[in-house]
Amino acid sequence: MNPIKTAKLYIFDMDGTLLDSMGEWTHLGRNYLLSKGITPPADLEETIDAMTMDESAAYFQTLGIHGDISTINWEIMELIHRSYRYQIPLKPGIKELLQELSTKKDSILCVLTTSERDCAINAFQRLGILSYFKDIHTSFEIGLSKRTGTIYQHVCKLYQVAPADTVVFEDAPYAIHAAKEAGCYVYAVPEETYRDDWSDCESTADEILQL
């Protein structure tokens, strides 16, 4: 029998899985500069890809952004918070999947994200899906990375459900590997951001989510 039909616990990633939000993160620096009336360099994303937030803020100062590092960082995060609050959409078919899984007897749906809890709550309330989830768990609050299976085992223990009875939905290749390491049944969610790693996602996950 298909594990998605028999599982007790369903763990959903947020960005790129539930929400079509990866583009907002990819182009956050570009959108920030544009909001300040500054034309971004063509290679902006490549330039800041390996930078910390403080390093990116310092680089933005060289492009004409005024303010200290902490102020720039706050403005950047406020920009992404507004995106969750007002515009980021669900990925196609997700609401119908949540409706279907939530009708299963004794099923538990939760979220495990590397983003902030407030971002999830604001987006989910606007999109009408908050009530489907037992809780929202963040890697920051748990104190573990989604690059290790330990974080998925931790969430399973919170609900007293074995990893073997848990289905995980993830788009990032490192998270797919980690969830498999934890012993969960994993659905890979197609996401344009990881198109270059898609063959790895396909070969690692148990199934591909097709909605």
Side-chain angles (χ1 to χ4, degrees), residues 12-48:
F12 286 86
D13 170 56
M14 180 172 72
D15 296 302
T17 298
L18 293 171
L19 302 183
D20 193 5
S21 53
M22 293 301 292
E24 294 292 327
W25 287 101
T26 300
H27 302 297
L28 180 56
R30 181 171 298 274
N31 292 337
Y32 174 67
L33 292 175
L34 289 171
S35 74
K36 295 293 188 177
I38 296 175
T39 300
D43 62 348
L44 178 68
E45 284 79 13
E46 291 80 5
T47 300
I48 66 175

Side-chain angles (χ1 to χ4, degrees), residues 85-141:
R85 196 176 298 122
Y86 298 118
Q87 66 190 58
I88 290 174
L90 285 172
K91 295 194 82 167
I94 285 298
K95 192 164 190 176
E96 291 77 10
L97 175 61
L98 295 176
Q99 290 172 334
E100 178 184 350
L101 295 180
S102 66
T103 61
K104 287 178 66 270
K105 184 180 180 181
D106 299 325
S107 65
I108 301 169
L109 282 65
C110 70
V111 174
L112 176 60
T113 178
T114 57
S115 292
E116 295 179 19
R117 175 181 291 271
D118 285 350
C119 289
I121 291 174
N122 288 334
F124 293 172
Q125 284 180 331
R126 172 174 55 84
L127 295 164
I129 64 169
L130 184 61
S131 62
Y132 291 119
F133 301 111
K134 183 75 171 178
D135 204 351
I136 297 165
H137 307 282
T138 74
S139 56
F140 175 76
E141 292 170 347

Side-chain angles (χ1 to χ4, degrees), residues 151-164:
I151 194 169
Y152 297 93
Q153 293 170 340
H154 173 86
V155 174
C156 290
K157 287 179 182 177
L158 290 177
Y159 296 104
Q160 298 182 322
V161 175

Side-chain angles (χ1 to χ4, degrees), residues 166-182:
T166 300
V167 171
V168 174
F169 300 88
E170 286 281 2
D171 65 314
Y174 64 84
I176 291 170
H177 277 277
K180 281 295 297 176
E181 174 190 314

